[in-house]
Amino acid sequence: MNSDSEFVQRADTAVYETEEPVLYAVADGIASLTLNRPTVNNAQNSQMTYALDDAFRRAVNDDEVKVIVLRGNGKHFSAGHDIGTPGRDINKSFDRAHLWWDHTNKPGGEYLYAREQEVYLGMCRRWREVPKPTIAMVQGACIAGGLMLAWVCDLIVASDDAFFQDPVVRMGIPGVEYFAHPYELNPRIAKEFLFTGDRMSAGRAYQMGMVNRLFARDELEAGTYALAAAIAKQPRMGLALTKQAINHVEDLQGKRTAMDAVFAWHHFAHSHNELLSGDKLGGYDAKGMAEANKAAAGERG
């Protein structure tokens, strides 16, 4: 029998803690998109990802909006992809935003490959191309999938106690799906960042050029919105064309084609893990990754 016809039945056991995983508000020409799963450190499930996609579209369609601020509710910006909360909805079907087929009944490596083309690589690329300026306001942890959300934004503003981390090499995986590491950081620094999985302080991220501005935690919101207000004074079309120009230069430097290649290696790693251990994530779940991160941070002081 052709393996393409061997569909799989997977149970959807997700239980959501909120019906509003993304909050949306507009004031003074600035749209605020707020990740709203604070009890799980704004881990990204599909419910949140599709809601965020809807919120970006809403902000683009609103002629009163000049600038978009992406922020997180609670202590942390985002702890990354949801790999272990009750709301992990990896087996739930959604109305898809791209022309990839539904992943939920697909066998083998096709399962995650199709899903992540949709909710990670595809959506992040579209959010990067939003024609209005976007600012990520980062406090606390910005880990793995959280990096993707910050990196698609045009500017990153962070609290001085924030940190950035991509520890997924621990799973045998070469970085998160939206692989922008050597474009956000010097390639040698990107290797260190991934090889060690260490936390990068907001101060060092600022020195590397990944963060635009630093503020004390209690000044972060005011500083971010002051920057957004200054940008909002510029003409809409001038901002859109400037953004297109700089994104185009990045793509000429190979960003898009490099990301395509690494996405394939990422999914080879998932399949390799499953062949060796029966688990696509190398035996890690959210709790295991959090414990390993804390232990590593403690060892390094």
Side-chain angles (χ1 to χ4, degrees):
M1 180 182 293
N2 188 325
S3 62
D4 282 351
S5 65
E6 295 176 359
F7 296 118
V8 178
Q9 289 189 344
R10 297 182 174 93
D12 170 30
T13 60
V15 178
Y16 294 141
E17 79 287 350
T18 179
E19 292 303 313
E20 290 187 291
V22 176
L23 304 178
Y24 184 89
V26 176
D28 302 321
I30 302 166
S32 296
L33 282 53
T34 304
L35 309 177
N36 188 42
R37 300 186 73 204
T39 58
V40 292
N41 298 325
N42 294 320
Q44 304 153 32
N45 58 5
S46 293
Q47 179 204 33
M48 173 184 279
T49 306
Y50 281 95
L52 186 57
D53 193 61
D54 290 342
F56 272 117
R57 188 181 301 278
R58 183 176 175 183
V60 169
N61 289 341
D62 185 348
D63 285 340
E64 297 301 312
V65 171
K66 294 289 295 292
V67 179
I68 301 167
V69 173
L70 176 62
R71 56 188 296 176
N73 190 7
K75 184 178 179 181
H76 299 292
F77 176 73
S78 177
H81 299 326
D82 187 338
I83 58 172
T85 83
R88 189 177 192 232
D89 52 6
I90 191 170
N91 293 331
K92 187 185 293 293
S93 294
F94 288 81
D95 292 332
R96 291 174 299 285
H98 300 93
L99 292 177
W100 271 91
W101 49 75
D102 182 49
H103 70 285
T104 57
N105 65 344
K106 300 305 185 293
E110 184 180 2
Y111 169 58
L112 285 187
Y113 190 90
R115 177 178 187 256
E116 295 182 1
Q117 281 278 359
E118 163 81 357
V119 299
Y120 296 153
L121 187 60
M123 285 192 184
C124 283
R125 280 177 164 169
R126 191 165 69 255
W127 301 338
R128 173 183 177 251
E129 301 301 325
V130 164
K132 297 181 180 181
T134 55
I135 303 173
M137 188 180 90
V138 177
Q139 83 283 7
C142 182
I143 300 174
L147 294 169
M148 294 167 48
L149 299 186
W151 284 347
V152 299
C153 292
D154 301 305
L155 306 178
I156 300 176
V157 177
S159 62
D160 55 14
D161 61 351
F163 68 88
F164 303 84
Q165 184 182 22
D166 191 353
V168 301
V169 172
R170 185 182 300 134
M171 297 174 167
I173 297 169
V176 290
E177 295 83 353
Y178 185 82
F179 191 85
H181 307 61
Y183 294 90
E184 297 289 341
L185 299 164
N186 175 290
R188 187 165 281 111
I189 301 300
K191 288 179 182 177
E192 176 192 1
F193 186 61
L194 285 165
F195 288 173
T196 66
D198 284 351
R199 297 178 177 185
M200 177 178 286
S201 69
R204 192 176 191 212
Y206 177 76
Q207 291 175 336
M208 295 295 107
M210 191 172 85
V211 167
N212 295 88
R213 297 189 184 180
L214 285 179
F215 294 98
R217 174 73 75 107
D218 61 357
E219 298 173 352
L220 176 63
E221 183 172 23
T224 301
Y225 283 86
L227 176 60
I231 294 170
K233 295 177 182 177
Q234 301 279 32
R236 179 179 59 254
M237 195 60 182
L239 290 169
L241 292 175
T242 301
K243 178 168 180 171
Q244 279 191 316
I246 296 174
N247 284 359
H248 179 61
V249 170
E250 281 192 317
D251 289 339
L252 288 175
Q253 292 171 334
K255 185 175 184 177
R256 186 178 183 89
T257 52
M259 204 172 284
D260 284 336
V262 180
F263 186 82
W265 295 325
H266 180 104
H267 286 278
F268 167 80
H270 278 314
S271 297
H272 183 65
N273 281 343
E274 189 167 36
L275 284 170
L276 292 181
S277 67
D279 183 81
K280 295 178 188 294
L281 301 180
Y284 283 95
D285 58 10
K287 183 178 179 181
M289 285 295 282
E291 289 175 348
N293 288 350
K294 290 176 182 177
E299 290 172 1
R300 295 179 176 89

